[in-house]
Amino acid sequence: MAEEISIRQLAKEFAVTTRTLRFYEDQGLLMPERRGQHRIFIQRDRVRLKLILRGKRLGFKLYEIRDLIDMYGAEQGEEGQIYSFIAKISERKQDLLQKKADIEEILLELEKATIGCQQRLGELNKNSEVK
Amino acid sequence: MAEEISIRQLAKEFAVTTRTLRFYEDQGLLMPERRGQHRIFIQRDRVRLKLILRGKRLGFKLYEIRDLIDMYGAEQGEEGQIYSFIAKISERKQDLLQKKADIEEILLELEKATIGCQQRLGELNKNSEVK
DNA sequence: AATTACCTTTACGTTAACGTAAGGGTAACT
DNA sequence: AGTTACCCTTACGTTAACGTAAAGGTAATT
């Protein structure tokens, strides 16, 4: 794992396009260094990109993901800021717990559906045995 | 809870617009009866809409949600169909388990962030006491 | 010297999931 | 008879998250 990688290398590593990476930079989600014109990505960007894609899988908007990432390890600022920060984190937590509950319910339904399918298969087998 | 409700009533009940409901019908996610021109929604549609919104919260595309809903209690068909059905359900399960894992990780990070914030608050308090 | 393989910016195109407006119909109060 | 309150369809507009193409720069092979 090289220290400094090109945009294409990072893109390939995470199975996204270079356009996507440039777009994320544009949106303030990535901030690669520049060497001349070229972007230089480092480990920090890998970590960030991983977080971005994780957020995407959960259906978060890019600006929500940006906010989310900003929450990680950002305990600077004065008291008021910290408090509003804790509040924001709490909101996000609620959202995530809701999503988790949604997932549990869907998984339950899918379990039921699977069982239904298996029963159906059983019936089909019985019929073919009788035949 | 009335047996038959209008589009507006259903919309209000779930805090969506009538446009949204018509759009969902257009996409084959809802199939209300018609009385003349008017749509008549019943309990079945409530259930479906709930499932749709749940899917949306998890970032599923509408066509994915449609597929998902079709999985619930659809154990008809012949053997081949059932098998491909079980496979599809399994895929969805994998996806959901991935999302669940994503959520757990984010929650963990947010916990860490919260602790960081509290420590910071503690430090700020110490400083003000010293003063 | 020319092709290959990258990189850059700028800018228009695309898709999903609706929003919004236009134009018209029905049914019930006032 | 007119206003209110719904309902309908058709159709153009909007936003997010990129896709895609154009035009050009650099650096290393062939």
Side-chain angles (χ1 to χ4, degrees):
Chain A
M1 237 196 304
E3 257 314 285
E4 303 187 337
I5 59 179
S6 73
I7 190 168
R8 187 160 303 248
Q9 284 175 302
L10 184 60
K12 194 174 179 188
E13 195 176 318
F14 285 86
V16 297
T17 67
T18 56
R19 174 68 173 99
T20 298
L21 296 182
R22 293 198 188 95
F23 183 71
Y24 289 165
E25 180 182 12
D26 222 60
Q27 302 299 307
L29 288 159
L30 293 174
M31 299 102 124
E33 291 167 41
R34 295 290 179 119
R35 194 144 307 156
Q37 287 275 70
H38 295 39
R39 293 169 178 82
I40 307 287
F41 293 90
I42 57 176
Q43 183 56 23
R44 170 178 54 82
D45 300 306
R46 267 203 196 88
V47 174
R48 284 206 145 232
L49 184 51
K50 196 172 165 187
L51 296 177
I52 294 169
L53 298 179
R54 180 183 291 163
K56 287 228 69 189
R57 281 198 298 271
L58 293 173
F60 285 116
K61 299 278 178 68
L62 286 185
Y63 66 79
E64 293 175 317
I65 296 176
R66 188 180 40 205
D67 282 11
L68 200 50
I69 293 180
D70 288 346
M71 290 180 192
Y72 301 158
E75 57 266 0
Q76 316 101 321
E78 32 105 354
E79 198 164 342
Q81 279 182 30
I82 303 269
Y83 275 120
S84 80
F85 220 69
I86 291 180
K88 277 179 77 175
I89 292 177
S90 177
E91 268 181 52
R92 231 79 268 267
K93 269 189 203 167
Q94 282 314 111
D95 185 12
L96 287 164
L97 289 175
Q98 170 69 57
K99 290 192 183 200
K100 194 175 159 187
D102 285 333
I103 289 177
E104 306 284 9
E105 292 201 58
I106 299 180
L107 280 173
L108 208 76
E109 292 299 318
L110 290 183
E111 277 306 324
K112 283 197 227 169
T114 306
I115 292 174
C117 282
Q118 281 160 351
Q119 282 179 349
R120 173 71 173 158
L121 280 180
E123 289 171 26
L124 288 173
N125 268 332
K126 253 203 293 190
N127 286 356
S128 66
E129 275 170 31
V130 168
K131 190 176 60 178
Chain B
M1 236 196 301
E3 257 314 287
E4 304 187 337
I5 57 178
S6 72
I7 189 168
R8 188 160 300 247
Q9 285 176 301
L10 184 61
K12 194 175 178 187
E13 195 176 319
F14 284 86
V16 297
T17 67
T18 57
R19 175 69 172 99
T20 299
L21 296 181
R22 293 198 189 95
F23 183 72
Y24 289 166
E25 180 183 14
D26 222 62
Q27 302 298 306
L29 289 160
L30 293 175
M31 300 101 126
E33 293 168 38
R34 293 291 178 122
R35 195 145 305 157
Q37 288 274 70
H38 294 37
R39 292 169 176 84
I40 308 286
F41 293 90
I42 57 177
Q43 183 56 24
R44 171 178 52 81
D45 300 306
R46 267 203 197 88
V47 174
R48 283 205 147 234
L49 184 51
K50 195 173 165 184
L51 296 177
I52 295 168
L53 298 179
R54 180 183 291 162
K56 286 227 69 189
R57 280 198 297 271
L58 292 173
F60 285 115
K61 299 277 177 72
L62 286 185
Y63 67 80
E64 293 176 316
I65 295 176
R66 189 179 42 208
D67 282 12
L68 200 51
I69 293 180
D70 288 345
M71 291 181 191
Y72 300 159
E75 56 265 1
Q76 314 101 323
E78 30 105 355
E79 197 163 342
Q81 279 181 28
I82 303 270
Y83 276 120
S84 80
F85 220 69
I86 290 180
K88 276 178 77 176
I89 291 177
S90 176
E91 267 182 52
R92 230 80 270 264
K93 269 190 206 168
Q94 282 315 111
D95 184 11
L96 286 164
L97 289 175
Q98 169 69 59
K99 289 191 185 202
K100 196 174 155 183
D102 285 332
I103 288 177
E104 307 283 9
E105 292 202 58
I106 299 180
L107 280 173
L108 208 76
E109 291 300 318
L110 290 183
E111 278 305 325
K112 282 198 230 169
T114 305
I115 292 173
C117 281
Q118 281 160 351
Q119 283 179 347
R120 173 69 173 158
L121 280 180
E123 289 172 26
L124 288 173
N125 268 332
K126 253 202 296 192
N127 285 356
S128 65
E129 275 170 32
V130 169
K131 189 175 59 174

